[in-house]
Amino acid sequence: MSKEEPKKKKPTPEEEQEAKVQQQPPQEEEPPKTSSPLPGKENNLPPGLGGVRTAPKSAATVKITPAGGNAGVVKPGASSGAAPKPQIQKQEEEAPAQNKAEPVKAVPAALPPLGFEMEDIGDEDTEDWLNILIYGPSGVGKTYLIGTAQDDPETASVILLDAESGKATIRFKKGIKRVKVYKFSTVEEFKGWLEQYCHIRDQYLKAQRNNDQKEIERWHTNACILFRIPEEERKDFVVPIYRTVAIDSLTEIQQYDMREIMEQVVKDDPTRDPDVPSPREWGKNQSHIKELIRDFRALPIHKIWAALPAEKTDEKTKEVTVGPDLPGKLMYQVPGLVDIVGYYYSYVNESEETVRILLLQNTGKYMAKDRTSALGKFVVNPTIPILMQMIRDYNAKMKGEQAKA
């Protein structure tokens, strides 16, 4: 005689609902539609510029680790169903017990001095140094735009690192000093000199503000040594005050660096072709350029970088991006190392006048940005004094609003 099978217990309503949730697959929501950074149609773009291209964005995925150890993938907006709780939650529950077992460490009575300083970003005595990259086709007027920095008291005087022999458009600008660049090692040497100069300049100006004659003489002597002034001429030497360094152009300097890298490679291995760098040489070149920009960025002086433009087409999407003419990833990495990126171009209007535009907002095709939030989408016929005044006006407006709050 066979045994009767035990009757199954009827599930409660809560258990039925939970079973349904576990059986249903996670629902995927459509990713949000992307829109152009510049709202509206093409007539809202700067004049003389082509249409906007916005790259499609796919929904990101988030990887979690369940308690059982198997990794799962959940898309944003999708329900995870009855997936087990992540392991992190279990660790958080166990953490208090572990903490109770650890003895409390006593704070020492004296701590060593901090190796860094903190300053109030709203301090009026803190100077905001311009760090801008301007890229555009040859002949558009990048060097002339750089030269206008000599016309603003906050950016004058200017030192021009000239790697393109483009002094013709600024030959009548008095006060600009020019350093000819034919190799990357010259830029490296100048960078070290500029770091010393900025320190001496700041100490000299501080001594003048304090009317400390002893310190004035001390830093005047240091400036004479830095500028290689003979002792018999030091009495009449006037310390020049430079507030801007311009690099024209970053495209040429990058190529000079690669040339020096390959010269050393061929010297070590004569069988190597100097015109065919390996990935190792490209990596070294990229590191040199990024380190150069970071080092200049840290200096208390305005920085203006110029570069030629380049187009790159995505192999998968076939979308075209226009940015500074730099090889490989540098085209996308260098803009992140500066505060302002402007695409500089010109067009002829209906009156047959040449109009120059500095585009300062990313269109999807043309790289551009403005961390100061003061310059708008674009500036027509820009100069450095115009840009500086826009930044000053915006900063004064924001400080006024903060004072009212």
Side-chain angles (χ1 to χ4, degrees), residues 26 61-75 80 83-86:
T61 59
V62 181
K63 191 172 183 179
I64 64 172
T65 304
N70 295 323
V73 176
V74 179
K75 296 187 177 180
S80 60
K85 295 181 180 180

Side-chain angles (χ1 to χ4, degrees), residues 38 46 129-134 145 303 338-343 357-362 368-395 397-398:
L38 293 179
W129 297 104
L130 191 68
N131 191 17
I132 180 172
L133 168 63
I134 301 170
L145 177 56
K303 280 78 61 178
V338 298
D339 297 324
I340 302 172
V341 178
Y343 174 62
I357 304 288
L358 184 63
L359 179 67
L360 295 159
Q361 190 174 88
N362 199 327
K369 74 173 186 180
D370 172 26
R371 285 178 178 166
T372 70
S373 303
L375 304 177
K377 297 178 181 178
F378 60 92
V379 178
V380 180
N381 294 326
T383 64
I384 297 302
I386 288 176
L387 300 181
M388 291 298 293
Q389 189 59 49
M390 293 175 72
I391 294 174
R392 286 192 289 263
D393 291 345
Y394 178 81
N395 290 344
K397 176 184 175 182
M398 295 304 296

Side-chain angles (χ1 to χ4, degrees), residues 4-266:
E4 293 182 3
E5 296 181 0
K7 294 182 180 181
K8 294 183 179 180
K9 183 180 179 181
K10 185 177 180 179
T12 63
E14 291 79 5
E15 293 175 342
E16 290 180 350
Q17 182 65 24
E18 184 178 356
K20 290 180 180 180
V21 171
Q22 293 179 352
Q23 293 174 1
Q24 291 178 355
Q27 298 295 324
E28 295 186 4
E29 295 182 1
E30 294 183 0
K33 296 182 179 179
T34 58
S35 59
S36 169
L38 293 179
K41 299 182 180 179
E42 290 187 6
N43 56 10
N44 284 333
L45 283 175
L49 194 64
V52 176
R53 188 270 298 164
T54 303
K57 298 180 181 179
S58 59
T61 59
V62 181
K63 191 172 183 179
I64 64 172
T65 304
N70 295 323
V73 176
V74 179
K75 296 187 177 180
S79 172
S80 60
K85 295 181 180 180
Q87 186 68 27
I88 186 81
Q89 294 184 0
K90 183 176 179 182
Q91 294 174 355
E92 291 176 352
E93 294 173 357
E94 297 175 353
Q98 297 175 357
N99 292 338
K100 290 180 180 179
E102 294 180 359
V104 178
K105 296 181 180 179
V107 178
L111 293 173
L114 292 174
F116 57 87
E117 294 182 1
M118 290 187 286
E119 63 180 15
D120 184 359
I121 61 174
D123 190 350
E124 294 182 358
D125 295 332
T126 301
E127 185 163 3
D128 294 326
W129 297 104
L130 191 68
N131 191 17
I132 180 172
L133 168 63
I134 301 170
Y135 72 99
S138 179
V140 73
K142 296 187 297 297
T143 305
Y144 180 83
L145 177 56
I146 288 172
T148 63
Q150 192 66 22
D151 301 329
D152 191 289
E154 287 193 20
T155 54
S157 291
V158 179
I159 302 177
L160 173 64
L161 279 181
D162 183 12
E164 290 194 341
S165 300
K167 69 172 184 176
T169 58
I170 58 172
R171 63 187 183 278
F172 300 117
K173 289 282 185 181
K174 294 182 179 180
I176 297 180
K177 292 296 183 181
R178 175 189 179 213
V179 177
K180 296 180 182 179
V181 176
Y182 298 107
K183 52 185 180 179
F184 186 77
S185 56
T186 302
V187 182
E188 288 281 287
E189 183 179 356
F190 173 80
K191 181 184 67 176
W193 178 91
L194 186 63
E195 183 177 2
Q196 297 179 62
Y197 167 78
C198 288
H199 177 68
I200 293 174
R201 176 205 64 192
D202 291 347
Q203 296 300 319
Y204 180 73
L205 293 176
K206 180 180 178 181
Q208 285 188 327
R209 289 192 300 269
N210 296 335
N211 197 24
D212 188 334
Q213 194 59 38
K214 184 177 180 180
E215 284 295 291
I216 290 175
E217 293 177 1
R218 174 192 175 192
W219 292 107
H220 179 273
T221 300
N222 285 332
C224 290
I225 296 173
L226 183 67
F227 280 89
R228 312 299 195 265
I229 305 298
E231 289 191 19
E232 61 272 15
E233 300 178 11
R234 292 181 181 180
K235 183 178 179 181
D236 299 325
F237 176 70
V238 178
V239 179
I241 304 302
Y242 298 110
R243 295 185 177 88
T244 298
V245 58
I247 299 89
D248 189 13
S249 72
L250 190 59
T251 302
E252 287 291 329
I253 289 175
Q254 175 271 320
Q255 294 175 2
Y256 286 154
D257 178 53
M258 179 56 79
R259 181 190 303 171
E260 291 186 28
I261 290 174
M262 293 310 298
E263 286 176 355
Q264 184 62 44
V265 167
V266 173

Side-chain angles (χ1 to χ4, degrees), residues 397-405:
K397 176 184 175 182
M398 295 304 296
K399 287 180 181 179
E401 292 179 358
Q402 290 177 358
K404 294 178 182 178

